[in-house]
Amino acid sequence: MNKALRNPLAFTLFVLPALFLFMMFFIYPIFSSIYYSLTSWNGVSDTVKFAGLANFKKALGDERFWISAKNNGLFICFSVFIQVPLIVLFSLLIANVKKLKGLYKTAVFMPSIMSTAVIGILWGFIYEPNIGLLNKLIGLVGIEPIYWLSDERFAMISILITNAWQWTGFYIVMVLAAILSIPGELNEAAMIDGATGVQRATRITLPLIMPIITVVIMLSIAGAMKAADIVIVMTKGGPAGSTEVMATYMIKYAITNFKYGYGNAIAVLIFMFTLLVTALYQLLIARRNERIEY
Amino acid sequence: MKKSITMILSLIFVTSALLTGCGGNNNATNTANKGKDTDVKTEEKVSEEPFEMTIRHTQIGADKEKRFAILQDVVKTVQTEVPGLTFKLDGVDSDVNRKEKLRGEMAAGSTPEIFELFGSPDSKIYAKENKLLDLTPILAELGIADQFSNLDPFTYEGKVYGLPIGGSGEGFFYNKGYYESKGWKAPTTFAELDQQLADIKADGKVPMAGASKAGWVPLMLANHLWSRYAGPDVTNKFATGEAKWSDANVVQGFAKYKEWVDKGYFKKGELGFEYAEYTTQFTSGEAILMYDGTWKSSVFKAGQSGEGLIGKVGFFNLPAVDGGVGDQTALMRDVNNGYGFSATVANDPRQLAAVTSFIKNFYNEQIQLRGLVEDGVLPSMKIDQAKLNESITDDLMSEIVAVLNTSQSSFPAFDSLVQADVTTEISNIQIQSLIGGQTTPEKMGAAIQKVQEEANAAVE
Amino acid sequence: MLRTLKKCIPHVVLLSYLLVILFPFLFVLFSSVKKNNLEIALNPFGIPKEFVFDNYIEAWVNAKISTYFFNSMYIAIFASVVTILLGSMFAFAVTRMRQGKWNGILFSLVLIGMLIPNNALMLPIYTIVRKLGILNTHWALIIPYIANAIPFTVIILAAFMRILPREIEEAAVMDGLNAPGIFARIIVPLTVPAMVTVFIVNFLGNWNEFLLANYFLSNDELRTLPVGMVQFRDQYQMNYAQMSAGIVYSVLPVVIIYAFLQEKIIEGLTAGSVKG
C-alpha cells in the first residue's frame, strides 16, 4: 500500500520548484561569491582576472574591515547581554500581571511589524540634536545637547538602541507564549510548597523556557550578522566609517569602488564568521541545554 | 479599551482619506510649456510605432525645480520631433545615481538610454568597457563639436562620450545683509576672512554652514584650501606620484580646515546633516557664510527656498593664503556633470535619432542661456559675450561672473582626478575623522597617501 | 498595603516600558500637525496649540505614499503566497512521502539555508537578477523574496506536518487519492494554522525589506515604501513637520491592520515559535 506516497515522479514534482529556487538563490550564489572573491574583477569589465587570495589578504589587513566586524560583534553582544535579560524580565512580568496583559502584549509587539527603514527615520528625528525628543528630554535635567548620530562616541550605541527598541517586543511575545504554555499545576504545586514568586520564576519557569531563549539568541545572532539596513538609513556607516558593519562595508567596496571581486571576498568572510559564531554558540552553550529542534 | 482604539484609528483614517482627496490632484512638477523650439519636424517617418526611452536625471527636490522644468521642455520638443517616442523620466539623487545606481547598471548592461553621467573618472571607465555611446559622429552631424568650452572629462582616446550640462565654480556665498549691518565688505585677504569668521562667532552666529554627512560637502572647501597652500595643480600629481597627500603644504590645508572646525566656525553637529540642510542653515540666516558651488545660486530666485535673501547674497573667491604655492586666484571649476548615452542606442536607428534630437535641443545657446538665467548654471558651451552680459540681470549672478573673470586659472575638484578608492577613503573616512577629531592633519595625509599609493600600484 | 505595593511594581515597570515604546509615535504624531521646526523645538512634548494639516497635503504630494504603499503591499503578499505554496509542497514531500534517504538529504540541504546570512549574498543575487533581465522590475524583488523565505517556511511547515498521524493518509490512500490529492485535500487544510504563521512572518519580512529594494530598483514609480520613505527623508530633511506627516502616512496603515488582526498576528507568530 501507500504507492501514491512512494511515487518518485510525484516526489520530484513536489520538491523541484522550491529546490530550484533554493539552489539558485542560496547555493549558486555561495559558489559564485567564492569564485569572484578570487578575482580582481571591477564589476564592469568583460574580462575577469584571477587574483588568488589577494582580496582576503587585503581585507584581513584592513583596519576598516575589522571596525565593521567589531560592530557586528557589538550587535551580537548588545542582543545577548542586554536585550535577552530584558526580554526575560518583561516576559515574566507580563505573564504574572492580571490586568492589562493584552494591552502590554499588543503594544510591545507593535514596533516589530514596522519597516526598519521607517523606524530608522523616526529615530533619526528623535536623535536630532536641536529639536529631537531625546535632547529635549535630557535638556530638562540640564544636560547639554548630544550629537547622537554624528558623534563617533554615540553613533553606534544609538543604532543599537533603535534596533533593540524595534525587536525586543517581538521576542517578548515569543517568550511570553512559552511561559503561558507551562501547565498551571506546576506553579500551583510550587506555591503550595511555599515558593516565592522569584523562586518560582528562577526554579520553574526559567529552566522550562530555556529552549525558547536559545531560539531567541540564535535569531538575534542571525539578525546581528545581517544588520545593514538600519545602518544605511540612520548613518550611512558614518561618521568616518565608525558605524559601518560588514554588509555595508561590502556594498561600499563592491559597488561604489568598482571592486566586485573584493566585495565578494567580504561576502565570503561574512559567511565564514556567521558559521563560526553559530558553531561556537551551539558547542558552548546550546548543547548544555537542549539542541534546537526545528 | 480595544473599542476606543478602533474608534480613534478609524477617525484618523477618515481624516486622512479626506485629505487625500484634497491633495491628490496637484502634481508638484511644473509643466509650463515655454521654450517651444522652432525646429520643424523633419525626421523621416520611419515608423510611427510607439517606443519608450528612459532619461535618468537628478533633478529631484524643491531646489532643482527650475532645472527640471528645462529638461521637461526639451523632452517635450524631442517627443514631438521623433514620432512615437515617449520619454520616461526617472529621478534619482545625484550622489546615489553616480555612485550606486549607474555603476550597478553599467555592470548589468541595463542603464537607461539617456542618463546623467559624471565626467572624470567615471565616464572613462565606462567608455573603456564600451558601455557608452560614442558621440563624435553626432556632434559632427550637428556641427557643434567645437562649441563646447571643455570636453576633456568626457573624452577617452579622442572620442567624446558625454556632454556637460553646464559648468560650475565654487566659492563663498555670504549674507550681505549681515555684512552691511557690520559695515564689512567681502574679504580680499585671508587675514580679513579669518577675522570676520572670528567676529561672526563672537557675535553668536554660525560663521559657516556645515553638513558633512556626505563627505563631498566639507571637501569642497578643504579641496580649495589644500590647492591654495600646495598649488592649484597639486591634485593632478597625486595619481602620477609627483606629489603626495602627506606633503607639508597639503597637510597645511587640512590643518587650516581643522583649525576652523576647532574654533567652532561650522554649524555644530554637522556630521549628522545632509546636504539639503546646508542650504537651509544659510537661507534661514543662521549661518553667515556657505561654501558651495555656483549652482546654489538658483535657490535665491523667486519661488525658491532662498527667496527671502534675493539681493542680499554675495559671492567671493577664497582669498590668497600666506605662503601659498601657485596662482592664488585659482578657482575650483568643473564641467563634470553631463549626459551620457547607452552604447545600445547605436543598435536602434530610432533611438539614435531620438538621442540626436535630444542633443540638438538640449545643447544650444537658448537652453544654455536659460540655464544660466533661470537656474544659475554656468554655460558649458561658448556663448557670445554680449548675449551673456545681456542675460545676466541679477546681482548675485553678476558677482559670480565677476569672480570667474578675475580668477586667472582654474582647477577641477579632486574626485575627477584621483581613483575611486582614494575618493572613498577621503570622503567617507578621513574628512569626517578630521572634523570629528579622531585624526590629525598629518595622520590624515599619511592615510590617504597610503591608499593613493595602492591605487597607483594597481594596474587598471 | 505591602501587598498592593507589590502588585503595583510590575505595572510601574511595564508602563514605563510602554511609554518608551509609544512615546516616539506620539512625538511624531504631534510634530506632524505643528507648523514648523521652531514650533516643534519650543513645544516638543505637548499637543500643538493650533493644528496644521498642510504637512499632510504636502507630504502626500511630495512623498508619493500611495504608489509606494501599493507596490510594497502587492509585492509582499504575492511573494509570501508563492513561498507558502512552494514551501508546503516541499515540506509535504520530505515529511510525508517515502523516498528513503532523499527525504533527509533534501531537508538538511534546505536547513543549511537558515545558516546563510542572505545579505552577504546580495552581490551574486544582483548578478542573477540582472542576467534574468528583470533588474528594475518588480520581479527583481519578488523572485528573491520567494526564494529567501523558503528555508524558514519549509522548516516550520515540516515540523507541523511531521506530527500529523500517519493514519490519515493511509485512510486517504485507501480512498484512492494520489499524492497531489492527499496534499491538497488532507494535509493543506490541516496545516492552515501553521501557514498563517508563516505567511505573517514572510509578509512582514518582505514588507520591511530594504537592501534589495534599494539597490535593485531605480525607477521612482517602482519603489517600495521603505525605500521611498528614505528618499523622501533625504530630500525634505530640514522640514521635520512634513517628514513626520510622511512617517504617519507610512505607519498608519500598518497600525490599522495590526489593530484589527493583532490577535491573529501575535497568535500566529507565537504558535510558530513554540512549534519551532
Side-chain angles (χ1 to χ4, degrees):
Chain A
M1 63 160 279
N2 260 354
K3 257 197 195 127
L5 292 173
R6 287 182 198 279
N7 181 351
L9 180 69
F11 180 80
T12 314
L13 288 177
F14 267 98
V15 293
L16 207 59
L19 193 63
F20 175 73
L21 280 177
F22 179 77
M23 296 305 271
M24 186 157 140
F25 285 91
F26 283 92
I27 305 301
Y28 166 77
I30 293 176
F31 288 103
S32 161
S33 261
I34 294 173
Y35 169 71
Y36 282 113
S37 71
L38 301 172
T39 71
S40 62
W41 193 40
N42 66 5
V44 182
S45 173
D46 293 329
T47 49
V48 177
K49 244 200 242 142
F50 191 71
L53 292 172
N55 287 329
F56 290 96
K57 249 185 234 156
K58 191 182 165 208
L60 295 176
D62 185 2
E63 185 199 355
R64 293 284 143 203
F65 172 73
W66 287 108
I67 289 176
S68 61
K70 185 200 80 190
N71 284 336
N72 282 103
L74 282 178
F75 261 98
I76 294 178
C77 291
F78 197 84
S79 321
V80 174
F81 297 112
I82 296 182
Q83 256 181 285
V84 169
L86 283 177
I87 289 165
V88 174
L89 174 72
F90 285 129
S91 317
L92 285 170
L93 287 178
I94 296 178
N96 288 314
V97 296
K98 300 236 160 45
K99 287 178 196 157
L100 297 178
K101 200 179 271 189
L103 172 76
Y104 291 138
K105 207 166 90 174
T106 311
V108 301
F109 191 77
M110 197 159 70
S112 45
I113 55 166
M114 283 165 198
S115 65
T116 308
V118 171
I119 284 180
I121 296 171
L122 198 164
W123 274 82
F125 184 19
I126 290 171
Y127 287 132
E128 207 281 337
N130 296 320
I131 62 173
L133 185 63
L134 206 53
N135 275 352
K136 288 286 172 190
L137 272 178
I138 63 171
L140 291 180
V141 289
I143 301 174
E144 284 290 296
I146 294 176
Y147 293 84
W148 296 100
L149 293 175
S150 53
D151 186 327
E152 200 156 321
R153 288 168 302 168
F154 296 105
M156 198 62 214
I157 188 76
S158 304
I159 291 177
L160 292 175
I161 289 172
T162 308
N163 188 55
W165 183 85
Q166 182 177 11
W167 292 111
T168 303
F170 181 90
Y171 295 128
I172 288 177
V173 173
M174 266 174 80
V175 175
L176 183 63
I179 296 177
L180 294 178
S181 69
I182 295 171
E185 301 92 65
L186 274 179
N187 265 317
E188 279 159 29
M191 239 186 303
I192 293 167
D193 290 349
T196 63
V198 177
Q199 280 173 331
R200 269 178 287 138
T202 51
R203 303 263 170 82
I204 299 175
T205 316
L206 220 49
L208 283 172
I209 58 169
M210 249 0 246
I212 199 79
I213 293 177
T214 309
V215 173
V216 167
I217 292 178
M218 279 306 296
L219 289 175
S220 300
I221 292 176
M225 294 308 287
K226 284 197 277 200
D229 40 8
I230 192 154
V231 172
I232 293 178
V233 172
M234 293 189 74
T235 61
K236 296 199 174 129
S242 60
T243 57
E244 207 85 78
V245 288
M246 286 192 284
T248 60
Y249 178 88
M250 171 189 85
I251 294 168
K252 198 162 268 175
Y253 272 92
I255 300 178
T256 314
N257 271 13
F258 297 108
K259 292 230 176 329
Y260 191 83
Y262 185 63
N264 273 299
I266 306 296
V268 172
L269 287 172
I270 297 177
F271 185 47
M272 285 175 9
F273 280 22
T274 311
L275 281 183
L276 196 73
V277 173
T278 320
L280 272 180
Y281 179 75
Q282 288 281 354
L283 280 175
L284 295 178
I285 296 149
R287 181 163 282 183
R288 276 198 222 139
N289 303 307
E290 192 181 323
R291 290 263 291 258
I292 300 174
E293 279 177 31
Y294 290 106
Chain B
M1 183 69 214
K2 228 162 92 198
K3 245 186 196 161
S4 58
I5 291 181
T6 323
M7 260 305 274
I8 294 170
L9 285 175
S10 45
L11 254 174
I12 297 172
F13 185 71
V14 170
T15 330
S16 65
L18 279 173
L19 286 167
T20 315
C22 308
N25 55 354
N26 49 345
N27 244 324
T29 48
N30 167 18
T31 46
N33 191 6
K34 308 175 220 160
K36 269 218 176 110
D37 230 279
T38 44
D39 285 305
V40 272
K41 309 177 207 168
T42 49
E43 301 294 322
E44 291 164 56
K45 303 220 159 173
V46 196
S47 159
E48 291 276 353
E49 216 172 282
F51 69 111
E52 210 173 62
M53 288 170 79
T54 304
I55 301 180
R56 159 76 46 72
H57 64 88
T58 63
Q59 270 70 276
I60 51 173
D63 289 349
K64 293 179 171 177
E65 272 167 23
K66 301 260 178 193
R67 216 163 311 166
F68 191 46
I70 296 175
L71 177 66
Q72 281 177 318
D73 287 344
V74 172
V75 160
K76 251 183 229 155
T77 317
V78 176
Q79 280 176 353
T80 51
E81 266 185 30
V82 182
L85 170 67
T86 318
F87 274 125
K88 240 168 74 183
L89 294 179
D90 175 31
V92 174
D93 172 75
S94 77
D95 217 35
V96 172
N97 176 53
R98 181 188 165 200
K99 295 195 174 147
E100 288 160 13
K101 283 274 140 69
L102 209 51
R103 287 179 192 181
E105 288 163 349
M106 281 292 169
S110 64
T111 51
E113 286 81 9
I114 302 177
F115 44 85
E116 263 186 44
L117 174 69
F118 198 78
S120 174
D122 300 22
S123 65
K124 280 164 197 170
I125 295 173
Y126 302 143
K128 192 174 155 201
E129 306 296 342
N130 300 317
K131 306 285 181 188
L132 297 174
L133 181 69
D134 175 13
L135 304 176
T136 326
I138 298 178
L139 294 182
E141 181 192 330
L142 295 172
I144 54 170
D146 56 351
Q147 302 220 342
F148 289 89
S149 28
N150 182 5
L151 286 175
D152 291 348
F154 293 95
T155 308
Y156 177 73
E157 292 183 341
K159 288 176 178 162
V160 178
Y161 291 95
L163 298 170
I165 297 167
S168 60
E170 280 144 44
F172 279 107
F173 289 87
Y174 68 103
N175 188 323
K176 264 189 176 168
Y178 182 86
Y179 264 62
E180 273 158 20
S181 75
K182 298 278 164 192
W184 298 346
K185 285 210 162 55
T188 50
T189 67
F190 208 83
E192 216 179 316
L193 173 63
D194 249 340
Q195 188 56 48
Q196 287 175 354
L197 291 172
D199 290 347
I200 299 168
K201 177 77 186 167
D203 195 23
K205 291 270 188 182
V206 176
M208 288 180 273
S212 310
K213 192 169 179 184
W216 66 268
V217 181
L219 274 169
M220 289 189 287
L221 176 55
N223 192 169
H224 209 160
L225 281 171
W226 83 61
S227 302
R228 277 279 186 275
Y229 283 105
D233 56 345
V234 68
T235 318
N236 253 326
K237 298 178 184 163
F238 293 140
T240 59
E242 289 166 80
K244 287 192 165 80
W245 289 93
S246 47
D247 288 347
N249 284 337
V250 181
V251 170
Q252 211 183 338
F254 300 151
K256 189 74 209 176
Y257 195 90
K258 172 87 174 129
E259 182 195 322
W260 283 350
V261 171
D262 290 344
K263 286 182 173 165
Y265 288 172
F266 296 96
K267 163 94 177 170
K268 232 183 155 190
E270 57 172 312
L271 286 173
F273 297 131
E274 297 274 358
Y275 181 54
E277 181 101 2
Y278 201 55
T279 320
T280 314
Q281 290 165 15
F282 183 76
T283 52
S284 67
E286 188 185 5
I288 305 304
L289 295 166
M290 170 176 70
Y291 188 91
D292 208 341
T294 51
W295 60 80
K296 196 37 71 63
S297 62
S298 65
V299 168
F300 309 104
K301 304 213 181 246
Q304 300 300 312
S305 61
E307 197 174 15
L309 286 178
I310 293 176
K312 293 176 196 150
V313 182
F315 187 80
F316 63 86
N317 193 352
L318 185 69
V321 300
D322 292 333
V325 176
D327 177 17
Q328 291 294 308
T329 66
L331 198 64
M332 195 148 79
R333 291 188 69 172
D334 280 291
V335 282
N336 240 333
N337 288 307
Y339 277 105
F341 306 86
S342 166
T344 58
V345 166
N347 307 328
D348 183 339
R350 295 175 78 202
Q351 290 197 355
L352 199 60
V355 164
T356 310
S357 164
F358 179 82
I359 293 176
K360 182 180 74 182
N361 288 299
F362 197 90
Y363 293 98
N364 56 47
E365 199 176 78
Q366 187 218 348
I367 294 290
Q368 290 274 308
L369 282 175
R370 202 177 145 196
L372 177 70
V373 174
E374 290 179 14
D375 192 30
V377 173
L378 306 172
S380 59
M381 299 172 81
K382 295 169 190 158
I383 307 284
D384 183 45
Q385 191 63 42
K387 269 196 186 152
L388 207 59
N389 292 340
E390 195 180 291
S391 309
I392 297 169
T393 46
D394 72 290
D395 295 348
L396 178 57
M397 210 61 216
S398 348
E399 274 190 45
I400 289 174
V401 172
V403 168
L404 296 179
N405 291 340
T406 49
S407 74
Q408 280 147 25
S409 66
S410 69
F411 60 94
F414 76 97
D415 57 347
S416 64
L417 299 172
V418 299
Q419 295 88 333
D421 292 33
V422 182
T423 303
T424 305
E425 176 70 17
I426 185 170
S427 64
N428 282 343
I429 312 284
Q430 295 299 339
I431 189 71
Q432 292 183 335
S433 288
L434 188 75
I435 294 168
Q438 280 92 30
T439 190
T440 63
E442 291 76 21
K443 275 194 214 156
M444 173 174 173
I448 304 170
Q449 183 58 28
K450 188 168 154 260
V451 178
Q452 180 73 58
E453 275 162 23
E454 278 168 23
N456 290 353
V459 197
E460 284 289 322
Chain C
M1 178 62 206
L2 200 71
R3 235 181 113 83
T4 18
L5 195 72
K6 233 176 152 184
K7 253 189 173 165
C8 277
I9 293 173
H11 282 288
V12 172
V13 177
L14 288 172
L15 281 173
S16 34
Y17 179 53
L18 215 60
L19 197 70
V20 172
I21 294 294
L22 295 180
F23 206 70
F25 290 113
L26 282 181
F27 176 55
V28 165
L29 192 64
F30 291 157
S31 299
S32 71
V33 285
K34 288 175 184 168
K35 208 158 64 219
N36 48 34
N37 288 3
L38 190 67
E39 215 169 289
I40 298 173
L42 290 177
N43 174 21
F45 308 114
I47 298 171
K49 285 183 203 79
E50 90 184 279
F51 288 79
V52 183
F53 289 101
D54 296 2
N55 296 319
Y56 282 90
I57 299 167
E58 274 167 42
W60 185 269
V61 173
N62 290 332
K64 302 187 194 118
I65 304 279
S66 54
T67 314
Y68 302 148
F69 185 81
F70 176 75
N71 287 343
S72 277
M73 190 57 107
Y74 103 84
I75 291 174
I77 291 179
F78 183 64
S80 310
V81 168
V82 177
T83 304
I84 286 181
L85 182 70
L86 302 186
S88 59
M89 280 162 59
F90 188 93
F92 168 73
V94 297
T95 56
R96 310 304 292 190
M97 294 181 83
R98 319 273 158 79
Q99 293 296 323
K101 59 180 196 285
W102 281 105
N103 290 2
I105 292 173
L106 289 177
F107 184 66
S108 319
L109 182 69
V110 172
L111 257 179
I112 295 174
M114 284 301 277
L115 294 176
I116 300 174
N118 43 8
N119 279 356
L121 301 180
M122 195 182 114
L123 302 175
I125 290 176
Y126 187 88
T127 317
I128 296 170
V129 165
R130 118 192 159 207
K131 278 188 186 144
L132 291 172
I134 54 173
L135 206 62
N136 214 4
T137 69
H138 280 154
W139 291 109
L141 299 187
I142 292 170
I143 296 179
Y145 286 178
I146 295 172
N148 278 342
I150 282 178
F152 172 77
T153 309
V154 167
I155 286 160
I156 298 287
L157 293 183
F160 209 90
M161 289 179 187
R162 206 165 265 147
I163 53 170
L164 298 175
R166 285 275 167 215
E167 293 79 43
I168 44 173
E169 303 135 340
E170 276 159 24
V173 173
M174 296 291 202
D175 292 346
L177 280 177
N178 55 8
I182 295 173
F183 173 67
R185 303 240 192 108
I186 316 262
I187 302 293
V188 168
L190 286 171
T191 327
V192 164
M195 286 186 176
V196 172
T197 309
V198 173
F199 176 83
I200 288 167
V201 175
N202 290 348
F203 175 84
L204 289 176
N206 296 342
W207 175 263
N208 288 340
E209 206 283 329
F210 176 77
L211 269 195
L212 302 193
N214 189 38
Y215 288 98
F216 290 11
L217 299 181
S218 43
N219 281 9
D220 196 32
E221 69 266 29
L222 295 179
R223 285 201 180 96
T224 57
L225 196 57
V227 182
M229 284 304 298
V230 170
Q231 189 196 307
F232 173 66
R233 191 265 318 255
D234 289 349
Q235 278 173 48
Y236 294 90
Q237 200 187 27
M238 51 284 182
N239 188 341
Y240 282 96
Q242 195 191 122
M243 202 180 76
S244 300
I247 295 176
V248 172
Y249 275 131
S250 66
V251 162
L252 197 66
V254 186
V255 173
I256 292 172
I257 293 170
Y258 183 61
F260 287 113
L261 291 181
Q262 48 132 327
E263 293 291 328
K264 269 257 172 306
I265 291 175
I266 293 181
E267 242 170 57
L269 259 163
T270 49
S273 63
V274 172
K275 290 272 171 338

